[in-house]
């Protein structure tokens, strides 16, 4: 299910659909990076390909994950 009925009677995206859209947005911003939300951990995750091999990142929020991706990519 991708929508639920809101208080005003309009369809609103479910939390899962919003997380999926956020992950797609981060992946679009960082081509080659795989982003997902861990249902079991409640954390945001990214697998970032780097010259020295892939790096797995974990963050509490999408913004923190974005910052971490930018940081590890700048260090190479």
């Amino acid at each position: 299910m991708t929508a639920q009925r809101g208080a005003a009677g309009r369809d609103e995206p479910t939390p899962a659909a919003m997380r999926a859209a956020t992950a797609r947005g981060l992946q679009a911003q960082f081509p080659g990076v795989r982003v997902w939300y861990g249902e079991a951990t409640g954390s945001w995750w990214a697998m970032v390909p780097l010259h020295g091999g892939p790096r797995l990142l974990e963050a509490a929020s999408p913004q923190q994950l974005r910052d971490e991706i930018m940081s590890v990519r700048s260090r190479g």
Side-chain angles (χ1 to χ4, degrees), residues 9-60:
R10 288 176 278 169
D11 285 341
E12 296 177 1
T14 64
M18 291 172 57
R19 288 190 296 267
T22 299
R24 285 191 304 272
L26 284 169
Q27 288 178 166
Q29 185 176 0
F30 300 105
V33 174
R34 174 77 170 106
V35 176
W36 68 95
Y37 177 78
E39 295 289 336
T41 62
S43 296
W44 286 87
W45 296 85
M47 182 64 72
V48 182
L50 300 171
H51 294 297
R55 175 105 184 255
L56 180 64
L57 303 177
E58 178 185 16

